[in-house]
């Protein structure tokens, strides 16, 4: 997955949950282009951010049990060549795809060539 789509997906999930128009889990997953399992993984990540999410069979929708808002900000800047060495003194950060769709940063020491995960 292209990682700059991740914030859009999270915002779409939030809007649908807020409006209580997610549909059943299969429909919700399909709207987000995810498998059902991936949907539940993403919902768990939102719950880790204290999102009070529940599912109502009668409404066939996920919903927030209390007022909840989500503000998502991110920035992206590419750094190349010598600028990397200047900033990190011979070491560099690189994005790694782990745990499904979340992007984690790893720090690689050029001397060790062994990633250290944050």
């Amino acid at each position: 997955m292209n990682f700059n789509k991740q914030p859009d997906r999270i915002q779409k999930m939030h809007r649908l949950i807020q409006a209580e128009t997610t549909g059943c889990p299969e429909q919700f997953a399909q709207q987000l282009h995810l498998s059902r399992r991936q949907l539940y993984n993403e919902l768990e990540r939102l719950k880790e951010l204290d999102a009070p999410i529940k599912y109502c069979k009668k409404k066939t929708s996920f919903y927030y049990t209390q007022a909840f808002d989500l503000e998502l900000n991110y920035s992206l800047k590419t750094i190349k060549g010598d600028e990397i060495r200047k900033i990190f003194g011979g070491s560099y950060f690189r994005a790694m795809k782990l745990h499904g769709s979340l992007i984690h940063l790893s720090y690689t020491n050029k001397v060790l060539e062994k990633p250290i995960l944050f």
Side-chain angles (χ1 to χ4, degrees):
M1 179 183 129
N2 190 342
F3 78 90
N4 28 344
K5 290 182 182 179
Q6 181 73 16
D8 295 335
R9 176 185 293 160
I10 292 169
Q11 288 175 335
K12 183 175 183 177
M13 286 178 72
H14 174 63
R15 282 192 312 271
L16 291 170
I17 294 168
Q18 230 176 10
E20 298 182 12
T21 57
T22 65
C24 69
E26 290 79 12
Q27 292 168 329
F28 194 21
Q30 190 175 29
Q31 289 180 67
L32 300 169
H33 306 287
L34 298 172
S35 70
R36 190 167 189 240
R37 179 73 258 152
Q38 289 171 317
L39 169 68
Y40 279 102
N41 289 340
E42 294 296 321
L43 288 170
E44 281 305 312
R45 289 186 183 101
L46 283 175
K47 288 178 182 181
E48 289 171 3
L49 298 172
D50 296 325
I53 301 171
K54 296 282 184 191
Y55 181 75
C56 178
K57 287 183 183 179
K58 189 174 181 179
K59 293 180 185 178
T60 61
S61 182
F62 288 91
Y63 67 99
Y64 292 120
T65 60
Q66 53 187 295
F68 179 80
D69 206 3
L70 183 67
E71 184 177 314
L72 185 62
N73 299 304
Y74 77 99
S75 65
L76 175 66
K77 178 182 176 186
T78 57
I79 303 171
K80 298 179 183 177
D82 290 337
E83 191 176 3
I84 292 170
R85 284 191 277 293
K86 287 178 191 173
I87 294 172
F88 296 110
S91 300
Y92 62 96
F93 281 97
R94 63 183 169 146
M96 292 182 68
K97 186 173 181 181
L98 298 173
H99 305 106
S101 59
L102 281 185
I103 300 298
H104 297 271
L105 291 178
S106 72
Y107 175 74
T108 303
N109 187 317
K110 285 285 193 179
V111 177
L112 299 175
E113 285 298 326
K114 181 178 180 184
I116 304 163
L117 297 180
F118 290 89

